[in-house]
Amino acid sequence: MPTIGMIGVGNMGSAIAKAILKAGYSMILHNRTQEKLADLAEQVGADVVKSESLDELINESDIIFIGVKPNQFGTIFEQLDDLVIESKPKTWVSMAAGLSIAQLEAFTPASHKWIRTMPNTPVEIGEGYIAYCTSKNTDDEKITLFEKSLQYAGIVEAIPESLFNAVTGLAGSSPAFIYQLIEAMSDVGVEYGLSREQSRKMASQAVKGASSMVIETGMHPGELKDKVTSPNGTTIAGVVALEHAGFKSAINKGVTAAINKSIQMSNKEKK
Ligand SMILES: NC(=O)C1=CN([C@@H]2O[C@H](COP(=O)(O)OP(=O)(O)OC[C@H]3O[C@@H](n4cnc5c(N)ncnc54)[C@H](O)[C@@H]3O)[C@@H](O)[C@H]2O)C=CC1
Ligand SMILES: O=C(O)[C@@H]1CCC=N1
């Protein structure tokens, strides 16, 4: 069974690590703060090798995920210096927002390959979305290993790099917007006498159920909305009030702001 390495096991890295471990791969993990690895090892139990030494991780891993913030890549590759050499090519996987394949390739010798991803945190429970693109001549065998290791992460699909800023807003950042929606709905439930727990259950189940309706029926969301709105009914009253409050416009602005930030970060990293 191949071994997967990961340097930087924070919010996103640990979510991906859980999916990879679920698929039965052994992992060698390295993180600056040791407590984070201890937490993860406790949660998943078996098969987590916590590595203090980076050479074991680099030499023994078939592919290596980098889970640090985009501005921490420089430090990581300075630390790795002698371990990352032309004669020992590796396949690296980035999850960093705003770092292009060309920018990633600048961190490693020419023989090394990169898989650039944009994941989201629901990969932790197998309901994530991961877009990826690769550097030229990345071995098919490594791409297959990458995809297989994420078989329990959710949807994993190849997307042209030119669309990565859009993916960042629409998939990478958007779970936070849905959490905001659930929180806002739950607050109203509490205001009208439901317990916090009941409110959160109802709001999150409605979001989950509505998402599954869109996915499983393949129907247009507008058509599904029309099916819930009786003339002079409660739902149309809510729908119209949301339109007056600029609901769709607010969502549009939120996703666009995330995409624009991703564009801005890509331009900054280029300099
Ligand atoms: N959080 C999210 O929803 C998403 C995050 N991402 C990307 O994932 C990456 C990580 O983001 P988060 O997990 O949110 O950040 P985080 O801060 O939770 O995780 C970063 C981890 O890297 C470790 N680290 C930092 N410097 C290190 C070093 N020199 N050596 C070893 N470990 C080091 C930190 O201790 C931390 O555990 C970023 O590049 C971000 O753009 C991508 C999509 C979604
Ligand atoms: O906000 C962030 O930095 C990360 C990148 C994409 C989603 N979350």
Side-chain angles (χ1 to χ4, degrees):
M1 194 68 155
T3 297
I4 314 277
M6 185 178 286
I7 300 173
V9 190
N11 291 314
M12 194 63 248
S14 63
I16 291 181
K18 282 180 192 165
I20 295 173
L21 289 163
K22 193 171 175 201
Y25 291 86
S26 59
M27 293 194 80
I28 305 179
L29 306 174
H30 175 87
N31 196 71
R32 195 176 49 188
T33 322
Q34 287 301 310
E35 295 84 68
K36 289 198 186 170
L37 290 184
D39 283 354
L40 181 66
E42 202 172 296
Q43 284 174 51
V44 297
D47 261 8
V48 181
V49 179
K50 292 175 277 169
S51 171
E52 311 247 343
S53 96
L54 282 164
D55 52 354
E56 181 201 5
L57 188 152
I58 304 293
N59 290 327
E60 290 180 21
S61 301
D62 294 277
I63 54 176
I64 304 162
F65 284 74
I66 304 287
V68 301
K69 297 282 190 196
N71 63 7
Q72 294 163 333
F73 271 62
T75 314
I76 290 289
F77 282 94
E78 269 168 34
Q79 260 175 278
L80 293 176
D81 193 25
D82 295 349
L83 299 170
V84 181
I85 50 177
E86 181 73 31
S87 60
K88 284 191 183 167
K90 287 283 165 184
T91 300
W92 303 87
V93 182
S94 165
M95 57 191 84
L99 284 181
S100 67
I101 290 280
Q103 289 159 346
L104 294 167
E105 283 174 340
F107 289 111
T108 49
S111 59
H112 291 236
K113 305 289 178 233
W114 280 91
I115 299 176
R116 177 185 180 187
T117 71
M118 179 41 61
N120 62 15
T121 48
V123 300
E124 179 168 338
I125 52 152
E127 293 291 349
Y129 178 88
I130 302 181
Y132 76 89
C133 60
T134 68
S135 52
K136 274 196 201 108
N137 307 326
T138 302
D139 300 331
D140 286 345
E141 172 216 334
K142 299 289 186 189
I143 298 174
T144 304
L145 169 59
F146 161 80
E147 286 189 343
K148 278 178 86 174
S149 74
L150 294 169
Q151 63 192 283
Y152 291 114
I155 295 174
V156 180
E157 57 187 2
I159 295 284
E161 187 165 32
S162 57
L163 296 174
F164 261 59
N165 291 317
V167 175
T168 303
L170 216 64
S173 298
S174 62
F177 312 152
I178 305 302
Y179 302 140
Q180 281 180 291
L181 170 66
I182 293 172
E183 189 180 15
M185 286 170 72
S186 308
D187 280 349
V188 183
V190 173
E191 189 186 1
Y192 280 84
L194 292 165
S195 71
R196 177 60 66 184
E197 200 188 353
Q198 285 170 324
S199 294
R200 193 177 295 162
K201 190 198 292 174
M202 286 176 207
S204 51
Q205 182 65 12
V207 169
K208 184 181 173 190
S211 298
S212 300
M213 286 291 280
V214 174
I215 292 165
E216 284 174 29
T217 66
M219 283 166 71
H220 188 287
E223 202 180 337
L224 287 164
K225 179 212 73 189
D226 287 354
K227 282 175 170 264
V228 210
T229 45
S230 330
N232 201 25
T234 58
T235 311
I236 194 67
V239 166
V240 170
L242 280 172
E243 285 306 313
H244 283 305
F247 183 62
K248 280 193 196 154
S249 164
I251 299 295
N252 200 310
K253 280 184 183 158
V255 177
T256 306
I259 294 173
N260 283 335
K261 184 70 183 181
S262 176
I263 294 171
Q264 202 186 324
M265 284 168 70
S266 315
N267 291 338
K268 193 170 149 218
E269 297 294 342
K270 263 184 214 158
K271 287 180 191 157

